[in-house]
Amino acid sequence: MDTGEPTGTAAAAAGGEKRAMLLRQITEEGGFAFVASAEKAAAGDLRAAEAAREMAWEQLHSGPWSEVEPAWRHAYALACLHVASLRAGDDRRAALRALDMGLIMGGDLLRAELEAAIAQVPANGNREGEGDGAGDAGRNVERWREGLSRNRDLGDALKVLPVKSLSCKQIERRTCISLEAFIHDYFLRESPVILSGCIDHWPARTKWKDIKYLERIAGDRTIPVEVGKSYVCNEWRQDLITFSQFLERMSSPDCSANLTYLAQHPLFDQIKELREDIVVPEYCYAGGGKLQSLNAWFGPHGTVTPLHHDPHHNLFAQVLGRKYIRLYRASISEDLYPHMETMLSNTSQVDLDNIDVKEFPRTEDLEFMDNILEEGDLLYIPPKWWHYVRSLSTSFSVSFWWRTSILPSQGS
């Protein structure tokens, strides 16, 4: 029976055509050495595969990311596929890292092949026996639970929050309203709201509380993380580490000295098992909505997203832990002193944790609204609204950005 799906032979032929076309493009870009190495890699030469990957990596870092030729991103993905194929038999972790790097840094041309290859990597079995023993595992679980329960007392929370926090207008809170009510009361008016009780049915609400589950599902996967207080700090940097290394950093006693944050990463496109633990809320279809991105925000207490705004409608789901959120209207943007350079033009120069009133005199007395997001809350942030976020505990959040075909001002 014809199912409409390509057969294995047809899929292999299509994949071969893609690779041949890519090698022709790379040849046109002058990448003769890469093509020669890639051809040897396809014949089973591991050293050639690793050499091709290194050449493509150098091209990815030859200038600003936006100026990298798409063909070289596809070439990097191809080299990662070759390395993984030749590593899979004797070093599953090296193979998995190569495939993850292909997903993170490579182009979309061979993405389906990367995902299929990941599905073929054998499971690692029971990870609980690894590391320094059951004692360390027990301590990590205990620290994980302590991290989730931090700053539950309002007085403790206020000690780490910006001045005037929770003293002005609070973001309105509603309990699981209908889509129609959301559209009428908030979406069309471009007004923020916290919605409680809407994601209690998500498997993530229980599964992600178990650090052993996260370790088992994602422990060996490579992820990009941010290190430092926030992306506007001079000491800020990005690392590529495994998910298990990330969990270890969060459980470390000196976590605050090496603050590490998985921020705005499409984790659920990369690790499909975690995607199955969440559901796109129906509110994201307001205004004929089309989902633009689905990102993860995961880290210890003390992580900060500085004051900034985003171009899309945002539904922010607080799955684990607690976060403080502060919002300013889009109409007062000039009084929040946006950065002048293009890369940071959506980010304020004002550090809300330490406002320099001499340099930014108009900010101190601006009206804002704020609140604390509890586990299970959804926060709607309209486009262009400025927001500052601080984790009060270990926190795992999911953001749903969507674009609409109907502008709120066109609604009735």
Side-chain angles (χ1 to χ4, degrees), residues 5-268:
E5 296 293 327
T7 64
T9 303
E17 290 174 4
K18 286 182 181 179
R19 295 182 184 207
M21 178 188 68
L22 173 59
L23 293 180
R24 287 195 296 270
Q25 287 182 308
I26 294 300
T27 299
E28 293 170 1
E29 293 289 336
F32 304 105
F34 175 88
V35 172
S37 293
E39 290 173 342
K40 291 179 182 178
D45 188 331
L46 176 60
R47 290 182 63 183
E50 292 177 337
R53 181 173 61 171
E54 184 62 29
M55 282 184 257
W57 181 261
E58 290 177 359
Q59 289 295 323
L60 297 186
H61 293 81
S62 61
W65 182 252
S66 60
E67 297 178 10
V68 174
E69 286 293 332
W72 279 110
R73 293 188 64 193
H74 302 323
Y76 181 75
L78 175 61
C80 288
L81 278 166
H82 284 150
V83 170
S85 175
L86 297 170
R87 284 285 192 189
D90 62 349
D91 192 343
R92 66 172 295 280
R93 289 186 176 177
L96 198 53
R97 178 177 174 82
L99 294 169
D100 274 327
M101 291 298 295
L103 287 175
I104 294 168
M105 303 294 292
D108 290 336
L109 181 68
L110 302 175
R111 187 174 186 89
E113 291 189 45
L114 290 163
E115 292 175 345
I118 285 174
Q120 295 301 313
V121 175
N124 197 32
N126 186 357
R127 296 180 52 91
E128 293 181 19
E130 299 179 4
D132 296 328
D136 279 350
R139 282 191 291 274
N140 284 344
V141 170
E142 184 179 346
R143 288 175 183 148
W144 171 257
R145 291 172 179 166
E146 289 174 355
L148 287 172
S149 62
R150 291 182 70 100
N151 290 314
R152 290 199 177 277
D153 180 79
L154 181 59
D156 291 337
L158 287 172
K159 293 176 183 177
V160 299
L161 295 180
V163 294
K164 298 184 180 179
S165 294
L166 304 176
S167 64
C168 301
K169 181 180 180 181
Q170 292 201 352
I171 304 168
E172 186 178 357
R173 183 180 288 275
R174 299 282 298 275
T175 301
C176 202
I177 60 177
S178 68
L179 175 59
E180 292 75 14
F182 170 73
I183 292 173
H184 181 269
D185 295 344
Y186 304 100
F187 173 77
L188 294 178
R189 300 178 183 182
E190 295 193 306
S191 179
V193 64
I194 296 173
L195 303 170
S196 302
C198 300
I199 64 171
D200 292 345
H201 61 290
W202 286 11
R205 290 277 287 113
T206 53
K207 286 185 175 181
W208 294 1
K209 289 183 179 180
D210 182 358
I211 190 175
K212 294 181 180 179
Y213 169 79
L214 296 174
E215 178 79 22
R216 184 174 68 254
I217 293 297
D220 288 334
R221 305 298 299 273
T222 296
I223 55 172
V225 295
E226 301 179 359
V227 183
K229 180 189 173 185
S230 76
Y231 62 79
V232 294
C233 296
N234 292 330
E235 68 275 12
W236 179 86
R237 71 177 193 274
Q238 292 179 296
D239 284 348
L240 287 161
I241 60 177
T242 65
F243 203 90
S244 62
Q245 290 171 327
F246 177 51
L247 293 173
E248 287 170 8
R249 287 193 190 183
M250 284 203 292
S251 300
S252 171
D254 63 346
C255 170
S256 58
N258 193 32
L259 204 60
T260 305
Y261 195 18
L262 175 69
Q264 199 172 333
H265 176 56
L267 182 69
F268 310 106

Side-chain angles (χ1 to χ4, degrees), residues 226 261-267 293 295-298 308 310 399 401:
E226 301 179 359
Y261 195 18
L262 175 69
Q264 199 172 333
H265 176 56
L267 182 69
S293 62
N295 290 319
W297 307 78
F298 185 24
H308 72 288
D310 299 311
S399 62
W401 280 8

